[in-house]
Amino acid sequence: MNTTISADKDVLLRIRNLVKHFPVKLGAFGEKAAVVHAVDDVSFDIYKGETLGLVGESGCGKSTTGFSLLQLYKPSSGSIEYDGVDLVRLKEKELRPIRKKIQIVFQDPYSTLNPRMTIGEAIAEPLKVHALLPAREMPARVAKLLTDVGLDANVANRYPHEFSGGQRQRICIARALASEPEFIVCDEPISALDVSIQAQIVNLLMDIQEKYKLTYLFIAHDLAVVRHISDRVVVMYLGKIMEIASKDELFGNPRHPYTKALLTAVPEADPDREDKRKRIILTGDVSNAIDPPSGCRFHPRCRFAAAECSVHEMKLDDIGAGHLVACNRLAEIGDRE
């Protein structure tokens, strides 16, 4: 991978050769040991102040990557440098001061809130864990966080079941902001919400990013949302990165066959354009992560695959302006669909 970066961009997280495998037992009695290759040799940078979108089909390793960055999953190998410190090498005690700077907003807001804790208690918990404020100052801090996410400060004494899904996600965002983080992993934060509420939460995330000077890893499968919120986009397939580019470059000039197929699945707002649009239909199913294909992970479903694709593993190459693609047949494929 070409890791050259622009001089005017500061790297907040530098991920190199990240691997996360999960041991599993197969068979009726668990007599056979196997390994799920959730993330395999993934490398990319996250710049300060940006929103990096991470997209791909279900099971491609998006959430596992995000959890690994936060050390919620301990990586099998590789390095994750945060402000120059390799988090993978740190012990839990050494991680604690850093944890207040890196937070997460989960997919399902209801399951991440303790039903026995009031909203105020839930938001104040990070303040207590990291001893960030005296107890007497916490109510004022909680009230400000609630108003920052669009809720009335008077709801602090209510419980999670009294709120709608969108309101609960606002509460989870407030809790993530409590420790004044620099980096937040947004793990499909709108996929469990009604469509009518999704845009509100996305716009809220964009507003608080500007207000709090945050950096996001935004994990999603909805490419229309990713296009709206992201600065750059990483495309994953079966634990591997297929393409990395700026938002405009990826949506305007996709190069990897998998990326092209994903983009044709995004519906057009204009009915006439939607009727005329050519879709790329992928054949077959996603391969099993326990026994992934050799060579390029995508080759069993790629209509441009050649014999070399099943033998040689594809590396990310910079084709210009920071546009990275893991495909050795770009010259032969060209603009063919």
Side-chain angles (χ1 to χ4, degrees), residues 244-319:
I244 304 176
S246 68
K247 170 183 65 178
D248 293 338
E249 178 69 11
L250 188 94
F251 284 88
N253 182 34
R255 299 301 306 276
H256 197 282
Y258 178 61
T259 306
K260 292 181 179 182
L262 282 182
L263 294 183
T264 65
V266 180
E268 290 277 359
D270 186 336
D272 293 332
R273 292 180 61 182
E274 175 68 16
D275 289 340
K276 297 176 182 177
R277 191 162 59 97
K278 181 181 178 182
R279 293 181 181 272
I280 301 174
I281 307 299
L282 296 178
T283 59
D285 297 320
V286 179
S287 301
N288 193 329
I290 293 177
D291 185 23
S294 60
C296 174
R297 295 278 170 94
F298 184 62
H299 86 263
R301 304 177 72 191
C302 180
R303 62 198 187 101
F304 299 114
E308 63 177 303
C309 299
S310 62
V311 178
H312 302 294
E313 187 172 324
M314 309 303 170
K315 300 294 183 182
L316 281 169
D317 289 322
D318 194 334
I319 62 173

Side-chain angles (χ1 to χ4, degrees), residues 71 74 87 89-100 130:
Q71 301 300 293
K74 200 66 178 175
L87 304 184
R89 297 180 179 273
L90 298 183
K91 297 178 181 179
E92 185 59 36
K93 186 177 181 180
E94 297 170 316
L95 275 171
R96 174 166 286 222
I98 296 176
R99 289 197 184 280
K100 66 182 179 181
H130 296 290

Side-chain angles (χ1 to χ4, degrees), residues 160-182:
H161 72 271
E162 301 179 62
F163 297 88
S164 67
Q167 290 172 326
R168 284 195 289 262
Q169 194 60 292
R170 289 174 185 269
I171 293 163
C172 291
I173 293 170
R175 184 179 58 183
L177 294 173
S179 63
E180 299 183 348
E182 294 180 321

